[in-house]
Amino acid sequence: MHITEGVAPASVAAAGALLAAGGVALGLRAMKDEQIPRAALVASAIFVASLVIRLPLGPSSVHPVLNGLAGVLLGWAAMPAFLVALFLQALLFQFGGITTLGINTVTMGFPAVACYYLFSRRIRESKKGREAFLLGVAAGVTALTLSFVLWAGSLILSGKQLAIIVKLSLLPHLAIVTIEGIFTGFIVGFLARVYPKAFEMPHIIKTRSDP
Amino acid sequence: MKNRRSEERRLTVSVACLMVVGSFAFAHGVQHRVFPGGTGVEATYDDGSPMAFCDVTVVAPGDQGNEHQTGTTDPHGRFAFIPDTNGIWNLSVDDGMGHLVTAEVQIGPNALVGSRPDTRVGRLTGGIVGVSVIFGLFGIYCLCRQNVAQTKRTGGEGESGCTSPKA
């Protein structure tokens, strides 16, 4: 899922950086002081998940992104969480890159925000654990599928061939989408049962009007 | 009549000459010789699996932007070429799926071959460092925000470590 250094031309990298900067600014604005520790926790989980869990599928390997979970837990604050996690991954392990940091943040962060709008409220209002589990599965699947689309789009804009991308990466991504969907479902179902406040996140517009 | 015969003869001689010249022109045989050596790189993903059948681009020293040679890695992620001049050769291996690795191969007077050292840290060490830095960064951000909020509440009289000091 990470696009490495040198793959994207300067124009695509700059566009990604601009979009990411906008998203991160909105995320920082939406984040309340008491939500910062949660953002740090989720950023750590994102950082560690792709290091520890690696499934040897496709030409290399696939790893969980956890952007569905980050989205329903953090909302717009998922953007700075992804920025920090991806920056450290690039710095310490050469996953992705510094010049492609913006693209990677957009690829993984914006689907998380989309999942927040699509599923967070429904999860909060869900009465049964099974309903929360299914909504969590849907969030995980939707976020990673959107990420795959954005990732493939970035590569196509960088001059890569769609046929090769689809041929080599579709099946491995389908596998990780399934696994991550189920994983997100379990976490969301568990949190909805024991700590439903985890999904209470102020809307960005509401945050602006807060004193 | 005589002129016509003469023209026919000339034409015949011309065609014969062309055929002889043509046969020389196409008389290129091919042969081969086996030689040892060459310089190569081995490209792998971070989990150690080889970057097999990936596109390779070789750029000669001082010829940035122009491809000296292109090719494909073998099933083990290896690619070899024969440098014809001294200097730093740039090789890039691209799998077409967002992964690209570049290598600098130095060819010196004594045919010394070097490459950029691997600066990656171990997974456990890097993981601990990364998580610590994440909590540190968010903690500093939290402190800054609280200081700014406190400064606003007190009308700029309170101490703030993150805002610019007022004269």
Coordinates of all heavy atoms in Angstrom, one line a residue, chain A residues 107-181:
Chain A
T107 N -3.9 8.5 0.6 CA -4.4 7.2 0.3 C -5.0 6.5 1.5 O -6.0 5.8 1.3 CB -3.2 6.4 -0.3 OG1 -2.7 7.1 -1.4 CG2 -3.6 5.0 -0.7
M108 N -4.4 6.6 2.6 CA -4.9 5.9 3.8 C -5.7 6.7 4.7 O -6.6 6.2 5.4 CB -3.7 5.3 4.6 CG -2.8 4.4 3.8 SD -1.4 3.7 4.7 CE -0.3 3.4 3.4
G109 N -5.5 8.0 4.7 CA -6.2 8.9 5.7 C -7.6 9.3 5.2 O -8.6 9.2 6.0
F110 N -7.8 9.6 4.0 CA -9.1 10.1 3.5 C -10.2 9.0 3.6 O -11.3 9.2 3.9 CB -9.0 10.7 2.1 CG -8.6 12.2 2.2 CD1 -7.6 12.6 1.3 CD2 -9.2 13.0 3.0 CE1 -7.2 14.0 1.4 CE2 -8.8 14.4 3.1 CZ -7.8 14.8 2.3
P111 N -9.8 7.7 3.2 CA -10.8 6.7 3.4 C -11.3 6.5 4.8 O -12.4 6.2 5.1 CB -10.1 5.4 2.9 CG -9.2 5.9 1.9 CD -8.7 7.2 2.4
A112 N -10.3 6.7 5.8 CA -10.7 6.7 7.2 C -11.7 7.7 7.5 O -12.7 7.4 8.2 CB -9.4 6.9 8.0
V113 N -11.5 8.9 7.0 CA -12.5 10.0 7.3 C -13.8 9.7 6.7 O -14.9 9.9 7.3 CB -11.9 11.4 6.7 CG1 -13.0 12.5 6.9 CG2 -10.6 11.7 7.4
A114 N -13.8 9.1 5.5 CA -15.1 8.7 4.8 C -15.8 7.7 5.7 O -17.0 7.7 5.8 CB -14.8 8.1 3.5
C115 N -15.0 6.7 6.3 CA -15.7 5.7 7.2 C -16.3 6.4 8.4 O -17.3 5.9 8.9 CB -14.6 4.7 7.5 SG -14.4 3.5 6.3
Y116 N -15.6 7.4 8.9 CA -16.2 8.1 10.1 C -17.6 8.6 9.7 O -18.5 8.4 10.5 CB -15.2 9.3 10.4 CG -15.9 10.2 11.4 CD1 -16.2 9.9 12.7 CD2 -16.2 11.5 11.0 CE1 -16.8 10.8 13.6 CE2 -16.8 12.4 11.8 CZ -17.1 12.1 13.1 OH -17.7 12.9 14.0
Y117 N -17.7 9.3 8.6 CA -19.0 9.8 8.2 C -20.0 8.7 7.9 O -21.2 8.8 8.1 CB -18.9 10.7 7.0 CG -18.3 12.1 7.4 CD1 -17.0 12.5 7.0 CD2 -19.0 13.0 8.2 CE1 -16.5 13.7 7.3 CE2 -18.5 14.2 8.6 CZ -17.2 14.5 8.2 OH -16.7 15.7 8.6
L118 N -19.6 7.6 7.4 CA -20.5 6.5 7.0 C -20.9 5.6 8.1 O -22.1 5.2 8.1 CB -19.8 5.6 5.9 CG -19.6 6.3 4.5 CD1 -18.8 5.4 3.6 CD2 -21.0 6.4 3.8
F119 N -20.0 5.4 9.1 CA -20.3 4.3 10.0 C -20.3 4.7 11.5 O -20.9 4.1 12.3 CB -19.3 3.2 9.8 CG -19.4 2.6 8.5 CD1 -18.4 2.8 7.6 CD2 -20.4 1.8 8.1 CE1 -18.4 2.2 6.3 CE2 -20.5 1.2 6.8 CZ -19.5 1.4 5.9
S120 N -19.6 5.8 11.8 CA -19.4 6.1 13.3 C -20.7 6.3 14.0 O -20.9 5.7 15.1 CB -18.5 7.3 13.4 OG -18.0 7.4 14.7
R121 N -21.6 7.1 13.4 CA -22.9 7.4 14.1 C -23.7 6.1 14.2 O -24.3 5.8 15.3 CB -23.6 8.4 13.2 CG -24.8 9.0 13.9 CD -25.4 10.0 13.1 NE -26.8 10.4 13.6 CZ -27.6 11.2 13.0 NH1 -27.2 11.7 11.9 NH2 -28.8 11.4 13.5
R122 N -23.7 5.3 13.2 CA -24.5 4.0 13.2 C -23.9 3.1 14.3 O -24.7 2.4 15.0 CB -24.4 3.4 11.8 CG -25.2 4.1 10.8 CD -25.2 3.3 9.5 NE -25.5 4.2 8.4 CZ -25.5 3.8 7.1 NH1 -25.0 2.6 6.8 NH2 -25.8 4.6 6.1
I123 N -22.6 3.1 14.4 CA -22.0 2.2 15.4 C -22.4 2.7 16.8 O -22.8 1.9 17.7 CB -20.5 2.2 15.3 CG1 -20.1 1.4 14.0 CG2 -19.8 1.5 16.5 CD1 -18.6 1.6 13.6
R124 N -22.4 4.0 17.0 CA -22.8 4.6 18.3 C -24.2 4.3 18.6 O -24.5 4.0 19.8 CB -22.6 6.1 18.2 CG -22.3 6.8 19.5 CD -21.7 8.2 19.3 NE -22.5 9.0 18.4 CZ -21.9 9.6 17.3 NH1 -20.7 9.3 17.0 NH2 -22.6 10.3 16.6
E125 N -25.1 4.3 17.6 CA -26.5 4.0 17.9 C -26.9 2.6 17.9 O -28.0 2.2 18.1 CB -27.3 4.8 16.8 CG -27.2 6.3 17.0 CD -27.8 7.1 15.8 OE1 -28.2 6.4 14.8 OE2 -27.9 8.3 15.9
S126 N -25.9 1.7 17.5 CA -26.3 0.3 17.4 C -26.6 -0.3 18.8 O -25.9 0.0 19.8 CB -25.1 -0.5 16.8 OG -24.0 -0.4 17.6
K127 N -27.6 -1.1 18.9 CA -28.0 -1.6 20.2 C -27.4 -3.0 20.5 O -27.2 -3.3 21.6 CB -29.6 -1.8 20.2 CG -30.3 -0.5 19.9 CD -30.2 0.5 21.0 CE -30.9 1.8 20.7 NZ -30.5 2.9 21.5
K128 N -27.1 -3.7 19.4 CA -26.6 -5.1 19.7 C -25.1 -5.1 19.3 O -24.7 -4.4 18.3 CB -27.4 -6.1 18.8 CG -28.8 -6.2 19.3 CD -29.5 -7.2 18.4 CE -31.0 -7.3 18.8 NZ -31.8 -8.1 17.8
G129 N -24.4 -6.0 19.9 CA -23.0 -6.2 19.6 C -22.8 -6.8 18.2 O -21.8 -6.4 17.6
R130 N -23.7 -7.6 17.8 CA -23.6 -8.2 16.4 C -23.7 -7.1 15.3 O -23.0 -7.1 14.3 CB -24.7 -9.2 16.2 CG -24.4 -10.1 15.0 CD -25.5 -11.1 14.8 NE -25.4 -11.7 13.5 CZ -26.3 -12.5 13.0 NH1 -27.4 -12.8 13.8 NH2 -26.2 -13.0 11.9
E131 N -24.6 -6.1 15.6 CA -24.8 -5.0 14.7 C -23.5 -4.2 14.6 O -23.1 -3.8 13.5 CB -26.0 -4.2 15.1 CG -26.4 -3.2 14.1 CD -27.6 -2.3 14.6 OE1 -28.1 -2.6 15.7 OE2 -27.9 -1.3 14.0
A132 N -22.9 -3.9 15.7 CA -21.7 -3.1 15.8 C -20.6 -3.9 15.1 O -19.7 -3.3 14.3 CB -21.3 -2.9 17.2
F133 N -20.5 -5.2 15.3 CA -19.5 -6.1 14.6 C -19.7 -6.0 13.1 O -18.7 -5.7 12.4 CB -19.7 -7.5 15.0 CG -18.9 -8.5 14.2 CD1 -17.5 -8.7 14.4 CD2 -19.5 -9.3 13.2 CE1 -16.8 -9.6 13.6 CE2 -18.8 -10.1 12.4 CZ -17.5 -10.3 12.6
L134 N -20.9 -6.1 12.6 CA -21.1 -6.0 11.1 C -20.8 -4.6 10.6 O -20.2 -4.5 9.5 CB -22.6 -6.3 10.8 CG -22.9 -7.8 11.0 CD1 -24.4 -8.0 10.8 CD2 -22.1 -8.7 10.1
L135 N -21.1 -3.6 11.4 CA -20.7 -2.2 10.9 C -19.2 -2.0 10.9 O -18.7 -1.4 10.0 CB -21.4 -1.2 11.8 CG -22.9 -1.0 11.6 CD1 -23.5 -0.2 12.8 CD2 -23.1 -0.3 10.3
G136 N -18.5 -2.7 11.9 CA -17.1 -2.6 11.9 C -16.5 -3.3 10.7 O -15.5 -2.8 10.1
V137 N -17.1 -4.5 10.3 CA -16.6 -5.2 9.1 C -16.8 -4.3 7.9 O -15.8 -4.2 7.1 CB -17.4 -6.5 9.0 CG1 -17.1 -7.2 7.6 CG2 -17.1 -7.5 10.1
A138 N -17.9 -3.7 7.8 CA -18.2 -2.8 6.7 C -17.2 -1.6 6.6 O -16.7 -1.3 5.6 CB -19.6 -2.3 6.7
A139 N -16.9 -1.1 7.8 CA -16.0 0.0 7.9 C -14.6 -0.4 7.4 O -13.9 0.3 6.6 CB -15.9 0.6 9.3
G140 N -14.1 -1.6 7.9 CA -12.8 -2.1 7.5 C -12.7 -2.3 6.0 O -11.8 -2.0 5.3
V141 N -13.8 -3.0 5.5 CA -13.8 -3.3 4.0 C -13.8 -2.1 3.2 O -13.1 -1.9 2.2 CB -15.0 -4.3 3.7 CG1 -15.2 -4.4 2.2 CG2 -14.7 -5.7 4.4
T142 N -14.7 -1.1 3.6 CA -14.9 0.1 2.8 C -13.6 0.9 2.8 O -13.1 1.4 1.7 CB -16.0 0.9 3.4 OG1 -17.2 0.1 3.5 CG2 -16.3 2.1 2.5
A143 N -13.0 1.1 3.9 CA -11.8 1.9 4.0 C -10.7 1.3 3.2 O -10.0 2.1 2.4 CB -11.3 2.0 5.5
L144 N -10.4 0.0 3.3 CA -9.3 -0.5 2.5 C -9.6 -0.6 1.0 O -8.7 -0.4 0.2 CB -9.0 -2.0 3.1 CG -7.6 -2.4 3.0 CD1 -6.6 -1.4 3.6 CD2 -7.4 -3.7 3.7
T145 N -10.9 -0.8 0.7 CA -11.2 -0.8 -0.8 C -11.0 0.6 -1.3 O -10.4 0.8 -2.4 CB -12.7 -1.2 -1.0 OG1 -12.8 -2.5 -0.3 CG2 -13.0 -1.4 -2.4
L146 N -11.4 1.7 -0.6 CA -11.2 3.0 -1.1 C -9.7 3.3 -1.1 O -9.2 4.0 -2.1 CB -11.9 4.0 -0.1 CG -13.4 4.1 -0.2 CD1 -13.9 5.1 0.9 CD2 -13.8 4.7 -1.6
S147 N -9.0 2.8 -0.2 CA -7.5 3.0 -0.2 C -6.9 2.4 -1.4 O -6.0 3.0 -2.1 CB -6.9 2.4 1.1 OG -7.1 3.2 2.2
F148 N -7.4 1.2 -1.8 CA -6.8 0.5 -2.9 C -7.1 1.3 -4.2 O -6.3 1.4 -5.1 CB -7.5 -0.9 -3.0 CG -7.0 -1.7 -4.2 CD1 -5.8 -2.2 -4.3 CD2 -7.9 -1.9 -5.3 CE1 -5.3 -2.9 -5.4 CE2 -7.5 -2.6 -6.4 CZ -6.2 -3.1 -6.5
V149 N -8.3 1.9 -4.3 CA -8.7 2.7 -5.5 C -7.8 3.9 -5.5 O -7.3 4.2 -6.6 CB -10.2 3.1 -5.4 CG1 -10.5 4.1 -6.5 CG2 -11.1 1.8 -5.5
L150 N -7.6 4.6 -4.4 CA -6.7 5.8 -4.4 C -5.3 5.5 -4.7 O -4.6 6.2 -5.4 CB -6.8 6.5 -3.0 CG -8.1 7.2 -2.7 CD1 -8.1 7.8 -1.3 CD2 -8.3 8.4 -3.7
W151 N -4.8 4.3 -4.2 CA -3.5 3.9 -4.4 C -3.2 3.6 -5.9 O -2.3 4.0 -6.5 CB -3.2 2.6 -3.5 CG -2.0 1.9 -3.8 CD1 -0.7 2.2 -3.3 CD2 -1.8 0.7 -4.5 NE1 0.2 1.3 -3.7 CE2 -0.4 0.3 -4.4 CE3 -2.7 -0.2 -5.1 CZ2 0.1 -0.8 -5.0 CZ3 -2.2 -1.3 -5.7 CH2 -0.8 -1.7 -5.7
A152 N -4.2 2.8 -6.5 CA -4.1 2.5 -7.9 C -4.2 3.8 -8.7 O -3.4 3.9 -9.7 CB -5.2 1.5 -8.3
G153 N -5.0 4.7 -8.4 CA -5.1 6.0 -9.1 C -3.8 6.7 -9.1 O -3.4 7.3 -10.1
S154 N -3.2 6.8 -7.9 CA -1.9 7.5 -7.8 C -0.9 6.8 -8.7 O -0.1 7.5 -9.3 CB -1.4 7.4 -6.3 OG -2.4 7.9 -5.4
L155 N -0.9 5.5 -8.7 CA 0.1 4.8 -9.6 C -0.2 5.1 -11.0 O 0.8 5.3 -11.8 CB 0.1 3.3 -9.3 CG 0.7 2.9 -7.9 CD1 0.6 1.4 -7.8 CD2 2.2 3.3 -7.8
I156 N -1.4 5.1 -11.4 CA -1.8 5.3 -12.8 C -1.3 6.8 -13.2 O -0.8 7.0 -14.3 CB -3.3 5.1 -13.1 CG1 -3.6 3.6 -12.9 CG2 -3.7 5.6 -14.4 CD1 -5.0 3.3 -12.8
L157 N -1.6 7.7 -12.3 CA -1.1 9.1 -12.5 C 0.4 9.2 -12.6 O 0.9 10.1 -13.2 CB -1.6 10.0 -11.4 CG -3.1 10.4 -11.4 CD1 -3.5 11.2 -10.2 CD2 -3.5 11.1 -12.7
S158 N 1.1 8.2 -12.0 CA 2.5 8.2 -12.0 C 3.1 7.4 -13.2 O 4.3 7.1 -13.3 CB 3.1 7.6 -10.7 OG 2.6 8.3 -9.6
G159 N 2.2 7.0 -14.1 CA 2.6 6.4 -15.3 C 2.6 4.9 -15.3 O 3.1 4.2 -16.2
K160 N 2.1 4.3 -14.3 CA 2.1 2.8 -14.2 C 0.8 2.3 -15.0 O -0.1 3.0 -15.2 CB 2.0 2.3 -12.8 CG 3.1 2.9 -11.9 CD 4.5 2.5 -12.3 CE 5.5 3.1 -11.5 NZ 6.8 3.1 -12.1
Q161 N 0.9 1.0 -15.3 CA -0.2 0.4 -16.1 C -1.3 -0.2 -15.3 O -0.9 -1.0 -14.4 CB 0.4 -0.6 -17.1 CG 1.2 0.1 -18.2 CD 1.8 -1.0 -19.1 OE1 1.6 -2.2 -19.0 NE2 2.6 -0.5 -20.1
L162 N -2.5 0.1 -15.5 CA -3.6 -0.4 -14.7 C -3.7 -1.9 -14.8 O -3.9 -2.6 -13.8 CB -4.9 0.2 -15.3 CG -6.2 -0.3 -14.6 CD1 -6.2 0.1 -13.1 CD2 -7.5 0.2 -15.3
A163 N -3.4 -2.5 -16.0 CA -3.6 -3.9 -16.1 C -2.6 -4.6 -15.2 O -2.9 -5.6 -14.6 CB -3.3 -4.3 -17.6
I164 N -1.3 -4.1 -15.1 CA -0.3 -4.8 -14.3 C -0.7 -4.6 -12.8 O -0.6 -5.6 -12.0 CB 1.1 -4.1 -14.5 CG1 1.5 -4.5 -16.0 CG2 2.1 -4.6 -13.5 CD1 2.8 -3.9 -16.4
I165 N -1.2 -3.4 -12.4 CA -1.5 -3.2 -11.0 C -2.6 -4.2 -10.6 O -2.6 -4.8 -9.6 CB -2.0 -1.7 -10.8 CG1 -0.9 -0.8 -11.1 CG2 -2.6 -1.5 -9.4 CD1 -1.4 0.7 -11.3
V166 N -3.7 -4.3 -11.5 CA -4.8 -5.1 -11.1 C -4.4 -6.6 -11.1 O -4.7 -7.3 -10.2 CB -6.0 -4.9 -12.1 CG1 -7.1 -5.9 -12.0 CG2 -6.5 -3.5 -12.0
K167 N -3.6 -7.0 -12.1 CA -3.2 -8.4 -12.2 C -2.4 -8.8 -11.0 O -2.6 -9.9 -10.5 CB -2.4 -8.5 -13.5 CG -1.9 -9.9 -13.8 CD -1.1 -9.9 -15.1 CE -0.3 -11.3 -15.2 NZ 0.7 -11.2 -16.3
L168 N -1.4 -8.0 -10.6 CA -0.5 -8.4 -9.5 C -1.1 -8.2 -8.1 O -0.7 -8.8 -7.2 CB 0.8 -7.7 -9.7 CG 1.6 -8.0 -10.9 CD1 2.9 -7.2 -11.0 CD2 2.0 -9.5 -10.9
S169 N -2.0 -7.2 -8.0 CA -2.3 -6.8 -6.6 C -3.7 -7.0 -6.2 O -4.1 -6.9 -5.0 CB -1.9 -5.3 -6.4 OG -2.6 -4.5 -7.2
L170 N -4.6 -7.3 -7.1 CA -6.0 -7.4 -6.8 C -6.3 -8.6 -5.8 O -6.9 -8.3 -4.7 CB -6.9 -7.6 -8.0 CG -8.4 -7.5 -7.8 CD1 -8.8 -6.1 -7.3 CD2 -9.2 -7.7 -9.1
L171 N -5.8 -9.7 -6.1 CA -6.1 -10.9 -5.2 C -5.5 -10.7 -3.8 O -6.2 -10.9 -2.8 CB -5.6 -12.2 -5.9 CG -6.5 -12.8 -7.0 CD1 -5.9 -14.0 -7.6 CD2 -7.9 -13.1 -6.3
P172 N -4.2 -10.3 -3.7 CA -3.7 -10.1 -2.4 C -4.5 -9.1 -1.6 O -4.7 -9.2 -0.4 CB -2.2 -9.6 -2.6 CG -1.9 -10.1 -4.0 CD -3.2 -10.2 -4.8
H173 N -4.9 -8.0 -2.3 CA -5.7 -7.0 -1.6 C -7.1 -7.5 -1.2 O -7.5 -7.1 -0.1 CB -5.8 -5.7 -2.4 CG -4.6 -4.8 -2.3 ND1 -3.5 -4.9 -3.1 CD2 -4.3 -3.9 -1.4 CE1 -2.6 -4.0 -2.7 NE2 -3.0 -3.4 -1.7
L174 N -7.6 -8.3 -2.0 CA -8.9 -8.9 -1.6 C -8.8 -9.7 -0.3 O -9.6 -9.7 0.6 CB -9.5 -9.8 -2.7 CG -10.2 -9.0 -3.9 CD1 -10.6 -10.0 -5.0 CD2 -11.4 -8.3 -3.4
A175 N -7.7 -10.4 -0.2 CA -7.4 -11.3 1.0 C -7.3 -10.4 2.2 O -7.9 -10.6 3.2 CB -6.2 -12.1 0.8
I176 N -6.5 -9.3 2.1 CA -6.2 -8.5 3.2 C -7.5 -7.6 3.6 O -7.7 -7.4 4.8 CB -5.0 -7.5 3.1 CG1 -4.5 -7.0 4.4 CG2 -5.2 -6.4 2.1 CD1 -3.9 -7.9 5.3
V177 N -8.3 -7.3 2.6 CA -9.5 -6.6 2.8 C -10.5 -7.5 3.7 O -11.1 -7.0 4.7 CB -10.2 -6.2 1.5 CG1 -11.7 -5.9 1.7 CG2 -9.6 -5.0 0.9
T178 N -10.5 -8.8 3.4 CA -11.4 -9.7 4.1 C -10.9 -9.8 5.6 O -11.6 -9.7 6.5 CB -11.3 -11.1 3.5 OG1 -11.6 -10.9 2.1 CG2 -12.3 -12.0 4.1
I179 N -9.5 -10.0 5.7 CA -9.0 -10.2 7.0 C -9.1 -8.9 7.9 O -9.6 -9.0 9.0 CB -7.5 -10.6 6.9 CG1 -7.3 -11.9 6.3 CG2 -6.8 -10.6 8.3 CD1 -5.9 -12.3 5.8
E180 N -8.8 -7.8 7.3 CA -8.9 -6.5 8.0 C -10.4 -6.2 8.4 O -10.6 -5.7 9.5 CB -8.3 -5.4 7.2 CG -8.3 -4.1 8.0 CD -7.2 -3.1 7.6 OE1 -6.2 -3.6 7.2 OE2 -7.5 -1.9 7.8
G181 N -11.3 -6.5 7.5 CA -12.7 -6.3 7.8 C -13.1 -7.1 9.0 O -13.8 -6.5 9.9

